[in-house]
Amino acid sequence: MILTYIETREKKIKKPSLEALSEAKRIAAALGTDAAAVVLGTGMEGLAADLPSCGASRVYLLENAALDRYSTQDYAAVLAELVKKLGPQAVFFSATALGKDLAPRLAARLGVGLASDCTQVSVRDGTLELTRPVFAGHALLSFRLTCSPQVISLRPNVFPLVAAAGAGETTRESVEVPAARTRAEVTEVLQEGGAEIDVSEADVIVSGGRGMKGPENFALLREISELIPRSAVGASRSAVDSGWIGHQHQVGQTGKTVSPNLYLAFGISGAIQHLAGMSSSKVIVAVNKDPDAPIFKVADFRVVGDLFQVIPQLKEELKKLRS
Ligand SMILES: Cc1cc2nc3c(=O)[nH]c(=O)nc-3n(C[C@H](O)[C@H](O)[C@H](O)COP(=O)(O)OP(=O)(O)OC[C@H]3O[C@@H](n4cnc5c(N)ncnc54)[C@H](O)[C@@H]3O)c2cc1C
């Protein structure tokens, strides 16, 4: 069995978890086994009903009101018990911020290895071969884990969502949450920008750097983003450090790793730490007035020019397309 942890927020499934489940289904089929999913918290029966259509032949609902709010220790503890009971070959996570927090904790509890932020999973000679970018995305490392179970997190927006046919069974379990000596729990989730989607989940990212010149000009990027469905505004660290936009928008080594279908970079030089977070984007368009800017080395489409002239033209063209 390949077990996938399904991340939820406000009783809704996060899309990267469904990508992980789709990949788990594909890998499980290649190994001749089943894909299962696990959801934590109460009131999740409705969500569980949707998971078979994404590949889960069985859904485990671990119920306890204490799990309604994320806590690394509690989640790792109840997941570890389930994994010990089921004995899956692998446990898949999506490498979201939460997945990057929880997967290592589970691996440590189980005393097994972790493959994080993988961009490819294949089956060779009956075992899993994993691939992940290293050296800020300049090389790809392929490797195998020799432990069991294998804990694996998959980079969001890399693996396709695949609809599956067939019904699945749901197993509801009321679980105990062990008393912890110390406890860190999320007490409040603040959503900046209303319904804005997170950069790590966006299909299109409209990103700005120091070339945007000031916080007021990020409004130009928001206007572009509003014209593109499933898009989000991203930023370089220079823009974030200057206080022009919040850290949750930062892309790069110390920000978020993103793989959108389209990454639009305005006034971003392309420092290695920025490329580390976005070079796996499917199509990269860079706008920069410096023809030698390093971002052009990874860009599929290059616009050498002043972004303050390019953005209004792009906006007009997008408006025409929308109408
Ligand atoms: C440990 C460490 C971690 C880091 N982590 C990150 C990270 O996660 N993410 C990240 O982004 N950086 C990170 N950095 C910082 C990184 O090294 C760069 O300093 C940063 O990415 C530069 O941001 P920038 O491209 O916006 O600014 P700059 O390098 O100053 O580039 C601005 C660009 O805008 C162009 N420009 C200016 N005006 C215009 C105009 N009118 N029209 C068009 N183009 C224009 C310029 O030609 C230039 O190329 C990290 C650094 C360190 C040391």
Side-chain angles (χ1 to χ4, degrees):
M1 173 201 286
I2 309 282
L3 181 66
T4 302
Y5 165 72
I6 303 297
E7 183 179 336
T8 58
R9 174 81 55 88
E10 288 165 2
K11 311 239 185 267
K12 289 197 187 97
I13 296 173
K14 301 284 276 181
K15 180 176 160 257
S17 292
L18 297 180
E19 296 165 8
L21 178 57
S22 293
E23 184 62 6
K25 169 77 179 164
R26 192 183 71 81
I27 293 298
L31 290 170
T33 183
D34 290 333
V38 55
V39 186
L40 274 57
T42 55
M44 301 293 189
E45 313 81 73
L47 301 188
D50 294 338
L51 292 170
S53 63
C54 294
S57 48
R58 183 174 285 275
V59 180
Y60 294 90
L61 281 181
L62 303 188
E63 298 181 321
N64 185 318
L67 299 173
D68 286 347
R69 208 167 249 175
Y70 178 68
S71 144
T72 318
Q73 296 97 315
D74 295 348
Y75 274 43
V78 296
L79 279 177
E81 288 311 308
L82 182 73
V83 170
K84 282 181 201 159
K85 196 162 86 181
L86 300 177
Q89 281 154 278
V91 187
F92 279 17
F93 287 83
S94 177
T96 56
L98 188 150
K100 284 180 180 168
D101 183 57
L102 184 55
R105 199 58 93 99
L106 175 68
R109 269 188 176 264
L110 297 170
V112 297
L114 165 78
S116 64
D117 206 20
C118 296
T119 51
Q120 199 181 323
V121 184
S122 46
V123 177
R124 285 245 178 111
D125 309 324
T127 57
L128 299 188
E129 188 172 271
L130 306 153
T131 301
R132 70 184 301 269
V134 289
F135 299 120
H138 285 274
L140 292 173
L141 176 72
S142 290
F143 59 102
R144 291 170 195 226
L145 292 175
T146 51
C147 53
S148 179
Q150 308 184 5
V151 180
I152 297 165
S153 70
L154 307 181
R155 183 174 287 195
N157 266 347
V158 169
F159 296 89
L161 276 177
V162 183
E169 288 178 44
T170 300
T171 304
R172 291 175 73 167
E173 284 190 32
S174 165
V175 290
E176 292 294 316
V177 174
R181 274 194 298 171
T182 56
R183 177 171 295 274
E185 90 177 13
V186 177
T187 52
E188 194 181 359
V189 178
L190 300 173
Q191 178 102 41
E192 201 224 37
E196 210 178 318
I197 53 173
D198 191 89
V199 279
S200 58
E201 288 179 41
D203 291 341
V204 177
I205 298 178
V206 187
S207 209
R210 207 200 302 267
M212 294 304 299
K213 307 277 193 265
E216 65 286 359
N217 292 326
F218 270 82
L220 301 173
L221 302 185
R222 289 212 168 83
E223 287 169 14
I224 297 286
S225 173
E226 278 161 18
L227 291 166
I228 308 175
R230 286 207 54 79
S231 68
V233 174
S236 71
R237 178 163 158 179
S238 294
V240 171
D241 285 353
S242 304
W244 298 351
I245 188 164
H247 179 261
Q248 68 274 28
H249 296 270
Q250 185 181 318
V251 172
Q253 188 182 314
T254 43
K256 289 180 180 159
T257 304
V258 298
S259 298
N261 293 333
L262 175 62
Y263 190 87
L264 297 163
F266 293 98
I268 295 177
S269 60
I272 189 166
Q273 296 90 354
H274 189 80
L275 301 185
M278 48 64 78
S279 58
S280 61
S281 304
K282 277 130 209 144
V283 176
I284 298 171
V285 179
V287 180
N288 200 302
K289 64 180 184 184
D290 174 5
D292 298 322
I295 189 94
F296 287 140
K297 290 197 182 122
V298 297
D300 300 283
F301 296 93
R302 306 161 185 85
V303 181
V304 179
D306 184 345
L307 65 89
F308 294 103
Q309 288 179 2
V310 175
I311 289 178
Q313 291 177 41
L314 175 64
K315 194 174 149 191
E316 282 316 303
E317 291 303 320
L318 283 169
K319 274 188 182 165
K320 277 188 216 160
L321 276 175
R322 294 281 289 180
S323 62

